[in-house]
Structure formats: C-alpha cells, structure tokens
Amino acid sequence: MSSKGYNLKVDEKKMKRMISNRESARRSRMKKEQHMKDLNDQIFYFTKKRDEMVWKLEGIAKENVVMEMENMVLRSQKEELEKRLEYANHVCGWYEGDGHVSSSMGIVQEPWLRPWEQKQPSNSIMPVTSSSAGFSIF
C-alpha cells in the first residue's frame, strides 16, 4: 500500500501541476489576446491621427500656395508703386526746379515729349531777321 499511496501522491502532484500549467497557459493566452487587442487599438488610433495630420498638412500646403501667390502679387504691386512714386517725385522735382532732374534718379528728361508742359526761359525767344549777308540774330 505504501507504493499505492506514493503513486497517489505523485499522481495528485502531477494533476495539480497539470492544472496549474493549464491555468497558466490560459492566463498567458488571455494576456496575449489583450496585448493584441491593445496593439490593434493603437494601430487604429495612430492611423486616424496620421490621416488627420495628412489632411491638415494638405490644407496648410494649399494655404501656402495661396499665400505665395498673394506675396508675388504684393511684391509686384510694391515695385509698381515704387516706380510710380519715383516718377511722381521726378515730375514734382521737374515742375518745382529748372526742368532738369539730377542724374542720381536715373531718369533721362525728354522735354520734347510734352512741350506744352515745359517752362520756357524768358530769354529763349530771339527774333530772327534776314539780311543781304544772311541770317542774323538780334
């Protein structure tokens, strides 16, 4: 009987160990299943976040293109206004001065373009008469 009692104790230990192993395997499977679920949730979350970022980035890129175009237009308008201001200063200087503009502005005065707008010096008109010797100026 002692061998029978010993076998029962060994069998009982084996059964306990087997049950413990099965329970441990079940817990391990459940833990692995939960981990996989967590990973899938993270995949879903980060995929959604990535899509939101891509959408925002595309919107920002479109806004950037619009801003670049507006910037080009504004720079062009600025250049045009600077040219107009320079011309207006030139015209004001010409009317207020002697009809000549300094060469520092880089604009060549062409008085023959608008002769009606030019100031005439008082001694510029001299009578011309003809004589037997030719023309003479008085």
Side-chain angles (χ1 to χ4, degrees):
M1 276 198 135
S2 68
S3 76
K4 239 185 180 186
Y6 176 74
N7 282 342
L8 281 176
K9 281 190 175 188
V10 170
D11 287 342
E12 190 176 311
K13 283 184 179 181
K14 282 184 180 179
M15 282 298 272
K16 281 185 180 180
R17 194 172 348 124
M18 193 168 66
I19 291 171
S20 176
N21 285 347
R22 285 183 182 165
E23 187 61 31
S24 177
R26 185 184 67 77
R27 283 192 310 265
S28 181
R29 283 190 304 271
M30 288 178 66
K31 188 176 178 181
K32 181 180 176 182
E33 186 178 313
Q34 183 62 43
H35 183 68
M36 291 299 291
K37 182 185 176 300
D38 291 343
L39 289 175
N40 284 329
D41 289 347
Q42 286 181 3
I43 289 171
F44 178 77
Y45 172 79
F46 288 120
T47 301
K48 184 178 176 183
K49 283 294 186 186
R50 183 204 61 209
D51 292 344
E52 288 174 6
M53 287 181 186
V54 166
W55 183 77
K56 284 180 183 178
L57 185 61
E58 288 173 352
I60 290 170
K62 288 177 184 177
E63 288 175 6
N64 187 37
V65 168
V66 169
M67 294 259 186
E68 287 291 331
M69 297 292 282
E70 287 177 4
N71 196 10
M72 286 174 40
V73 168
L74 290 173
R75 284 184 180 157
S76 176
Q77 289 175 346
K78 176 188 169 242
E79 288 177 16
E80 179 64 27
L81 290 172
E82 285 174 342
K83 288 178 184 177
R84 287 183 182 188
L85 178 62
E86 184 178 356
Y87 179 73
N89 287 335
H90 168 74
V91 169
C92 287
W94 187 77
Y95 279 119
E96 292 171 359
D98 60 359
H100 294 83
V101 177
S102 67
S103 62
S104 65
M105 288 189 65
I107 298 174
V108 177
Q109 176 65 28
E110 297 176 348
W112 60 86
L113 290 178
R114 294 187 178 150
W116 60 89
E117 293 180 354
Q118 297 178 18
K119 293 181 181 178
Q120 295 292 328
S122 61
N123 62 357
S124 66
I125 302 177
M126 295 186 192
V128 177
T129 61
S130 64
S131 68
S132 61
F135 293 100
S136 63
I137 299 177
F138 294 99

